[in-house]
Amino acid sequence: MGVNRQWRLARHPEPTEDIGFEHFELVESPIPTPDAGEFVVQTLALGTSPAQRSYISKSLSMHDKIAIGDVMRGRGVGVVTESRNSNYQTGEIVISSTGWQDFSIQAPALQNPNVLSIQKVVAPIFPLTMTLGILGAAGATAYFGLFDVGCLQAGDTVVVSAAAGGIGSVAGQIARIAGCRVIGIAGGPEKCQWITEGLGYDCAIDYKSESVGERLDELCPSGVDVFFDNVGGEILDSVLGRLALNARVVICGFIATDYREDLNQGPRNYKNLVRKRARMEGFFIFDYRHRFQEAEGRLRNWYEDGLLLNCEDVDDGLEQMPGTLGSLFTGGNKGIKLCRVSPDPG
Ligand SMILES: NC(=O)c1ccc[n+]([C@@H]2O[C@H](COP(=O)([O-])OP(=O)(O)OC[C@H]3O[C@@H](n4cnc5c(N)ncnc54)[C@H](OP(=O)(O)O)[C@@H]3O)[C@@H](O)[C@H]2O)c1
């Protein structure tokens, strides 16, 4: 009988604590066998999201909680290794809620409405990590956030926060492809150099060593048309104070304040939304699941045309997973943070 390694929750992190190995326990159990209607998936790669922190934190969140001793929830790409469901054949590639483990049971009839459904990868592109990254949820989040919520137009001045992170690195590239002027806010000189020289951002602001407000005044004298915000807090406030007429502020995430009740204050500069006839709107990528193919198609074309760089940052081995997730909160990632669990088939 084969072994299934699983990362299970060992304890909840405190709000000010970094996420790390001490919050999880690596356990070995038998590879599961499917009941009627189910199939088994071997995980090939796992994605990450800052939201995963809220699954394991004690505070209230919009996500279902994971109990101590449960396998950590996460979305991955994998291969079907055994099936008792005629719609899923052995060898097929799927994206699903695999969890942090080598093998998972997938039960299409019992899909949790709070997780994205099982998705077949009909035309795989390699490496398969791309199906979780630029061609997957990260790419789709950047795409719908910019076009549907941000109503992106050629010629717009676009600012992206966490610009060297997963969604930010795709958002900046899409805005550049769409003919916008793009300014990225990122932590540290290396990331700022990478987004300008590697990803084609026009300018970068290092929020760790520069005043974001002063730099925005220099770089955007006519104001910001679209702000794609992954961060919240002080950075959101700085940009709100510098909006152009009819600006669109796209609230994608708020990693700077999400887990810190003491920092979780509302924006001070929101009154500028009235003065500038601007709009601030949040969105949730699950609401776009019926349109993922549209995003994937356009992102794939841009990638194949050499316009969009596959900016992924991949750790190797399931045993790395707590550190892989933890790196999002310390700025340890450059691009879309993923973990390879097993080699791609073939
Ligand atoms: N709306 C949706 O449906 C949806 C879906 C998925 C994700 N999200 C949100 O989108 C955002 C980006 O997600 P992602 O998966 O691509 O993660 P990510 O941007 O790769 O996240 C990590 C980056 O955030 C930056 N960061 C961390 N703490 C920060 C702080 N205190 N102040 C400023 N920057 C900080 C770090 O970059 P630096 O080194 O530059 O600080 C780090 O590399 C997150 O807020 C996430 O919750 C939203």
Side-chain angles (χ1 to χ4, degrees):
M1 189 180 291
V3 169
N4 184 23
R5 296 170 302 158
Q6 301 178 316
W7 277 109
R8 298 189 186 179
L9 182 62
R11 78 170 170 83
H12 300 287
E14 296 302 325
T16 53
E17 224 183 351
D18 287 339
I19 296 283
F21 287 84
E22 62 275 26
H23 300 108
F24 301 93
E25 185 188 10
L26 191 59
V27 172
E28 291 190 352
S29 62
I31 296 176
T33 49
D35 286 333
E38 297 179 343
F39 60 96
V40 177
V41 166
Q42 179 179 13
T43 312
L44 302 173
L46 286 164
T48 61
S49 170
Q52 286 174 291
R53 179 171 181 140
S54 59
Y55 306 167
I56 60 172
S57 69
K58 282 185 256 183
S59 56
L60 281 177
S61 89
M62 62 197 283
H63 301 285
D64 291 348
K65 297 288 180 198
I66 292 173
I68 303 290
D70 281 358
V71 176
M72 177 60 182
R73 192 187 312 140
R75 201 157 168 83
V77 60
V79 58
V80 179
T81 53
E82 190 180 352
S83 181
R84 292 189 62 197
N85 182 316
S86 56
N87 294 323
Y88 295 88
Q89 311 303 325
T90 300
E92 281 185 322
I93 305 293
V94 295
I95 297 171
S96 64
S97 182
T98 58
W100 289 10
Q101 56 188 340
D102 289 308
F103 294 90
S104 57
I105 288 282
Q106 302 294 324
L110 301 177
Q111 278 281 283
N112 177 346
N114 295 321
V115 300
L116 285 172
S117 52
I118 300 164
Q119 194 187 327
K120 273 193 198 190
V121 181
V122 278
I125 189 162
F126 294 94
L128 284 171
T129 43
M130 288 176 71
T131 60
L132 301 173
I134 58 164
L135 304 184
T141 305
Y143 177 90
F144 291 116
L146 282 172
F147 288 113
D148 278 58
V149 187
C151 302
L152 197 70
Q153 304 281 341
D156 280 342
T157 294
V158 177
V159 174
V160 179
S161 60
I167 292 168
S169 59
V170 187
Q173 293 190 79
I174 293 175
R176 186 243 305 142
I177 293 165
C180 302
R181 180 165 171 267
V182 198
I183 294 150
I185 303 174
E190 192 199 331
K191 286 189 179 183
C192 286
Q193 185 176 1
W194 180 61
I195 63 173
T196 49
E197 293 177 11
L199 302 184
Y201 277 78
D202 294 283
C203 314
I205 301 173
D206 176 0
Y207 77 92
K208 290 189 173 165
S209 69
E210 298 181 296
S211 156
V212 173
E214 284 173 20
R215 290 283 285 135
L216 286 172
D217 287 339
E218 284 164 27
L219 296 171
C220 318
S222 307
V224 174
D225 296 302
V226 176
F227 179 37
F228 189 98
D229 189 22
N230 292 305
V231 163
E234 287 296 318
I235 289 178
L236 171 61
D237 248 327
S238 297
V239 183
L240 280 177
R242 291 161 179 86
L243 298 178
L245 199 64
N246 300 131
R248 287 83 71 199
V249 178
V250 180
I251 303 297
C252 180
F254 17 74
I255 194 168
T257 59
D258 203 10
Y259 314 101
R260 295 282 306 274
E261 287 301 323
D262 53 325
L263 299 178
N264 217 352
Q265 310 290 330
R268 285 188 306 275
N269 283 331
Y270 77 95
K271 293 174 190 162
N272 209 26
L273 293 168
V274 175
R275 239 168 30 93
K276 296 294 180 181
R277 286 76 164 166
R279 176 167 58 79
M280 179 156 84
E281 183 176 334
F283 73 105
F284 193 35
I285 191 57
F286 286 15
D287 298 336
Y288 292 88
R289 61 186 107 187
H290 59 291
R291 288 177 56 200
F292 271 18
Q293 266 189 334
E294 169 196 330
E296 194 209 320
R298 287 194 76 190
L299 290 158
R300 197 171 177 140
N301 286 344
W302 289 327
Y303 170 71
E304 286 171 353
D305 290 346
L307 295 170
L308 183 67
L309 189 75
N310 176 27
C311 43
E312 57 184 32
D313 177 348
V314 185
D315 286 345
D316 207 10
L318 180 69
E319 61 281 5
Q320 308 295 335
M321 219 34 221
T324 303
L325 178 62
S327 70
L328 298 180
F329 301 92
T330 56
N333 65 311
K334 223 166 73 175
I336 304 167
K337 192 72 198 176
L338 301 156
C339 185
R340 174 159 295 293
V341 176
S342 197
D344 284 348

